[in-house]
Amino acid sequence: AHDVLLYAGAALAAYGFPAGHPLGIDRQGAFLDEAARQGLDRRVAFMQPRLATRAEIERFHQPSHYDWVQACTARGSGYFDYGDTPAFPHALHAASAVVGAALDGLERIMAGDAIRTFQPIGGLHHARRGRAAGFCIFNDIGCVIDTLRLVHGVQRIAYVDIDVHHGDGVFYPFERDPGLVVADIHEDGRMLYPGTGHADETGRDLAIGTKLNVPLAPGAGDREFFAAWEHALEHLERHAPEMVLLQCGADAMAGDPLADLRYTTAAYARAARDLRHLAERRCGGRMMTFGGGGYALGNLAAAWSAVLRELV
């Protein structure tokens, strides 16, 4: 078994929006160049994505949403949502590859062929069951969680999100689900998209106390992150997960054009290292990592390489 599978390929690189949009098609290449420069490419098994089927995508998404993505893709212009997520030709193919790569990685982990996966083009944590949002057409993480439940019978799952934006598309669909343990550290949503993830949001009904949101003030850096991270680790340990999912959006790095946190790569390395150790203690090592956001290419290359270094 390989320790780490890294998913990359043309179909994933194609997940990006037309010229001038902050999420372009150059992100995978920027990361792979830096990973190769650090020699990390020799320490992973490269995997090509497959396309998720409609049925797999509909484990999480409503059929009406799939129809909408199909229609917008055919039209090739306009928006999937209210103006953040433009339609483009082949969008359905690219979005299906993001989900398919995640599900392929999950299958290989559950079969014992790998321990950890890294999906740099993935972590589309804003899409809801019935709609696209925030540059996210389909929610690959939502599809992984529902596949873990429906196909593999895994109940206790840890979802850790350190993207600068709150992972609302994972949080709210599972807000009443006591088996999904969430730790989400993000820039305070009162100033920033999507405007959610306040500290008093801890889950509902049977799930109260299973969700941890830690909003940080604009300008917060590694020191504030590490303090929040201690809380997150205690929270995760207490709930003893069987599988760990990390969304490590690089947009919390200092200098990202869309937000105002100031992490260095040390924050990303620490998160990946501590979760790898948690997974090794609790889950037989099983851990999936998703790139998420990040809109300064040098930042995402550095942050994701720091994560990958800890995973290998």
Side-chain angles (χ1 to χ4, degrees):
H2 283 283
D3 279 359
V4 182
L5 306 181
L6 174 62
Y7 281 80
L12 290 169
Y15 191 90
F17 300 98
H21 192 282
L23 198 157
I25 57 171
D26 44 3
R27 297 163 82 249
Q28 176 178 271
F31 162 63
L32 292 178
D33 287 350
E34 177 61 21
R37 200 184 64 77
Q38 296 187 25
L40 299 171
D41 57 324
R42 297 192 296 276
R43 301 171 63 186
V44 299
F46 277 95
M47 304 298 292
Q48 287 285 332
R50 67 170 178 81
L51 295 184
T53 65
R54 178 172 183 144
E56 287 172 329
I57 290 166
E58 288 180 4
R59 286 177 191 153
F60 178 81
H61 287 293
Q62 294 162 6
S64 59
H65 179 53
Y66 192 96
D67 290 341
W68 173 246
V69 172
Q70 215 165 20
C72 290
T73 298
R75 197 173 64 230
S77 62
Y79 287 90
F80 290 106
D81 56 6
Y82 300 110
D84 287 329
T85 313
F88 59 97
H90 315 301
L92 176 61
H93 189 274
S96 299
V98 174
V99 177
L103 294 180
D104 189 79
L106 174 61
E107 283 151 20
R108 290 172 192 275
I109 287 176
M110 298 311 291
D113 299 335
I115 302 168
R116 294 181 285 281
T117 62
F118 189 40
Q119 324 266 346
I121 305 303
L124 304 181
H125 64 165
H126 295 308
R128 299 289 185 98
R129 291 192 188 275
R131 61 183 166 90
F135 314 163
C136 304
I137 297 173
F138 293 138
N139 190 325
D140 51 328
I141 294 168
C143 293
V144 163
I145 293 166
D146 280 338
T147 299
L148 274 164
R149 296 282 167 70
L150 296 165
V151 178
H152 301 288
V154 174
Q155 293 309 318
R156 301 198 70 75
I157 302 162
Y159 175 63
V160 184
D161 191 323
I162 62 171
D163 191 290
V164 83
H165 303 99
H166 181 238
D168 58 329
V170 179
F171 186 87
Y172 295 106
F174 298 101
E175 194 177 18
R176 290 180 161 80
D177 182 331
L180 186 75
V181 181
V182 174
D184 195 318
I185 303 171
H186 48 272
E187 187 175 332
D188 193 324
R190 286 171 298 193
M191 291 70 162
L192 191 71
Y193 182 90
T196 57
H198 308 297
D200 59 0
E201 294 184 80
T202 63
R204 292 183 188 269
D205 304 342
L206 294 175
I208 288 174
T210 62
K211 318 286 188 265
L212 176 69
N213 280 298
V214 188
L216 300 180
D222 288 0
R223 192 167 55 95
E224 294 83 357
F225 174 80
F226 292 138
W229 186 245
E230 291 300 329
H231 290 293
L233 280 178
E234 286 162 22
H235 174 72
L236 297 168
E237 284 283 4
R238 202 163 52 241
H239 290 283
E242 303 166 76
M243 178 81 172
V244 174
L245 310 177
L246 168 63
Q247 202 272 26
C248 57
D251 41 12
M253 289 268 286
D256 189 89
L258 298 192
D260 294 294
L261 294 186
R262 297 188 184 151
Y263 301 169
T264 71
T265 54
Y268 289 86
R270 170 84 183 275
R273 181 166 64 248
D274 287 350
L275 290 178
R276 192 190 84 217
H277 291 153
L278 174 73
E280 285 166 351
R281 281 199 308 280
R282 296 280 192 185
C283 322
R286 297 188 303 198
M287 177 177 173
M288 296 185 72
T289 307
F290 302 84
Y295 306 101
L297 293 179
N299 275 356
L300 70 81
W304 294 347
S305 294
V307 167
L308 185 59
R309 180 172 291 279
E310 297 300 334
L311 296 181
V312 300

